[in-house]
Amino acid sequence: MFWVIGATALATGLILMLLQNFKTPEGVMERKTEHRYAVSDPQFRREMSVLLGPAIVRGNHVTALQNGNEIFPAMLQAIRSAQTSITFETFIYWSGEIGEAFSQALSERARAGVPVSVIIDWVGSIKMEQSLLDSMQAAGVHLHRYRPLHWYNFGRMNNRTHRKLLVVDGRIGFTGGVGIADQWTGDAGDPEHWRDTHFRIEGPVVAQLQAAFDDNWIKITGHVLNGPRYFPTLLEEGKIDAHLFVASPSGGSESMHLMYLLAIAAAEETIDLAASYFVPDRLLIEALIAALRRGVRIRILLPGPHMDSLTVKIASKADWGALLQAGAEIHLYQPTMLHTKLLVIDTEFVSVGSTNFDMRSIRLNDEASLNIYSRDFATQMTAVFEADLLAAEPYSLASWKSRPLREKFSEKILLPIKSQL
């Protein structure tokens, strides 16, 4: 009798802890943000700067890097040149050639006496061999895996760090969509090598990348990384205004949601969105439709036949009908998996980083996004977006209406867990 009661209590406790993973943060946005100003209006910058956290800072230089052939050499060169510090946070880190290259570069700098601090997500590093972790730690790399599974954090196992942050000497920063795995190597020339964009950053905004890394380092270790080796004096390196802000279920979870809603509401001419995982909520869909109704041209670039998550692919398509009906253009990238995260509005405003256009990124993951306020840079990223469109096929409302019944049924089945995808 007592063992039945005990087993029931244990099962109930496990279920309750599991259900904690489905909780959304308190105080979520409930009403659509109205169009009050354009992205070119100083009011837009004023509100983005104070509502999202760190202030917009001027004098930055941002270089867009395309695919592994450009991204990984730039990151590895920066690591190998480090003199005072390296901080590195990533979601995906898998064994393979590029994983070994990063391990060796980080280890070499640690053996040379440079403090190297690394955060790797526990779920994202499942495909990482223990020997790779052991070799880095043996070399002196201060390495922590974010939220490894324990009985006491079972209720938060769904909250992962999805941030991609690398800061070298407190002066050179990187962020974007790339993970440390062989899928990102090459030049997106075949289905085994993904399409992605990453960004090299210099200037005062790099301090905000460093602070974003510190946000999780403090959570994990209880120690703050400060002093001139992490936060040196940063001079202006270019003409770009930018800021980086973070979101997390434990604080600032609505920052990403608010950013997307404010930016879409401010659009007056164009919205170009490249999204590897596109599962928006009702408010984001309403905001996009409202923009279409006031004459904004919306182009959405999504993965086509090559997609690493079947559930996301199915759940995403359920919402395409309303957008297509309202006049949005949806294009499906054909050559390989599209992993880019890019938002360009009115050739004035660009948002990049680790954040996907889905509710998991917005409410469950730890994320970091870099917002850039520069017509020149926005023009450059529009050209990148349009080059990707050339490798995509348009998807029509007629195609959406005629999708197979099994797809429609699967969309309904996935509806209750849509926020988890």
Side-chain angles (χ1 to χ4, degrees), residues 22 410-420:
F22 287 81
S410 298
E411 292 164 10
K412 299 294 184 185
I413 293 294
L414 290 172
L415 188 60
I417 61 168
K418 189 176 177 180
S419 66
Q420 310 296 304

Side-chain angles (χ1 to χ4, degrees), residues 15-315:
I15 291 170
L16 288 173
M17 284 193 291
L18 182 62
L19 289 174
Q20 287 293 311
N21 287 280
F22 287 81
K23 283 181 62 179
T24 55
E26 296 181 1
V28 298
M29 297 276 293
E30 294 181 353
R31 296 189 179 183
K32 179 168 64 71
T33 304
E34 299 297 330
H35 174 65
R36 302 186 188 281
Y37 42 71
V39 293
S40 57
D41 191 316
Q43 185 67 24
F44 176 69
R45 294 195 187 195
R46 188 177 302 121
E47 293 189 9
M48 294 288 268
S49 193
V50 297
L51 287 173
L52 301 182
I56 298 169
V57 291
R58 61 185 302 172
N60 304 287
H61 181 76
V62 181
T63 303
L65 304 168
Q66 307 302 326
N67 300 323
N69 279 354
E70 292 185 5
I71 295 166
F72 290 135
M75 293 177 72
L76 288 168
Q77 191 279 330
I79 290 170
R80 290 165 180 153
S81 69
Q83 298 298 310
T84 63
S85 66
I86 298 171
T87 55
F88 182 40
E89 180 173 358
T90 189
F91 177 66
I92 293 290
Y93 197 139
W94 296 344
S95 293
E97 290 185 13
I98 198 63
E100 182 66 33
F102 270 78
S103 175
Q104 290 180 6
L106 293 166
S107 296
E108 188 280 325
R109 287 291 81 199
R111 285 192 294 267
V114 176
V116 180
S117 305
V118 177
I119 299 172
I120 303 172
D121 187 78
W122 180 76
V123 170
S125 61
I126 288 294
K127 296 182 182 180
M128 186 181 193
E129 294 175 5
Q130 185 63 40
S131 60
L132 209 57
L133 293 164
D134 293 342
S135 67
M136 284 192 281
Q137 290 175 322
V141 175
H142 303 288
L143 188 152
H144 295 270
R145 296 174 89 180
Y146 189 77
R147 290 206 179 120
L149 182 60
H150 297 293
W151 68 267
Y152 53 80
N153 69 0
F154 193 69
R156 298 188 68 186
M157 63 179 290
N158 209 14
N159 303 142
R160 312 312 313 170
T161 180
H162 194 247
R163 297 172 187 170
K164 284 92 173 175
L165 301 168
L166 171 64
V167 181
V168 175
D169 294 344
R171 298 181 181 279
I172 302 171
F174 293 84
T175 193
V178 77
I180 308 304
D182 289 349
Q183 281 89 334
W184 277 276
T185 59
D187 196 28
D190 56 67
E192 283 69 49
H193 298 90
W194 293 0
R195 170 75 183 99
D196 215 334
T197 307
H198 221 64
F199 300 85
R200 186 184 188 276
I201 307 150
E202 294 177 279
V205 78
V206 174
Q208 295 180 1
L209 274 74
Q210 191 73 282
F213 177 88
D214 248 11
D215 177 58
N216 272 343
W217 190 258
I218 293 168
K219 290 178 190 175
I220 295 170
T221 68
H223 297 287
V224 61
L225 301 177
N226 62 348
R229 71 169 66 241
Y230 297 102
F231 294 97
T233 300
L234 295 174
L235 302 176
E236 293 190 4
E237 299 285 349
K239 298 181 179 180
I240 288 176
D241 297 348
H243 62 153
L244 183 129
F245 61 99
V246 298
S248 168
S250 60
S253 60
E254 279 299 283
S255 294
M256 291 299 173
H257 204 198
L258 181 59
M259 185 274 287
Y260 281 134
L261 291 170
L262 287 174
I264 293 167
E268 294 195 330
E269 298 175 7
T270 58
I271 296 175
D272 290 331
L273 172 67
S276 50
Y277 307 102
F278 182 79
V279 191
D281 71 341
R282 174 185 57 84
L283 280 182
L284 288 169
I285 293 170
E286 289 179 356
L288 290 168
I289 291 173
L292 288 162
R293 288 175 177 165
R294 63 175 181 268
V296 177
R297 181 186 184 185
I298 297 181
R299 299 183 291 184
I300 303 171
L301 179 63
L302 304 175
H306 306 288
M307 177 74 172
D308 70 326
S309 175
L310 179 60
T311 53
V312 171
K313 186 174 184 177
I314 294 169

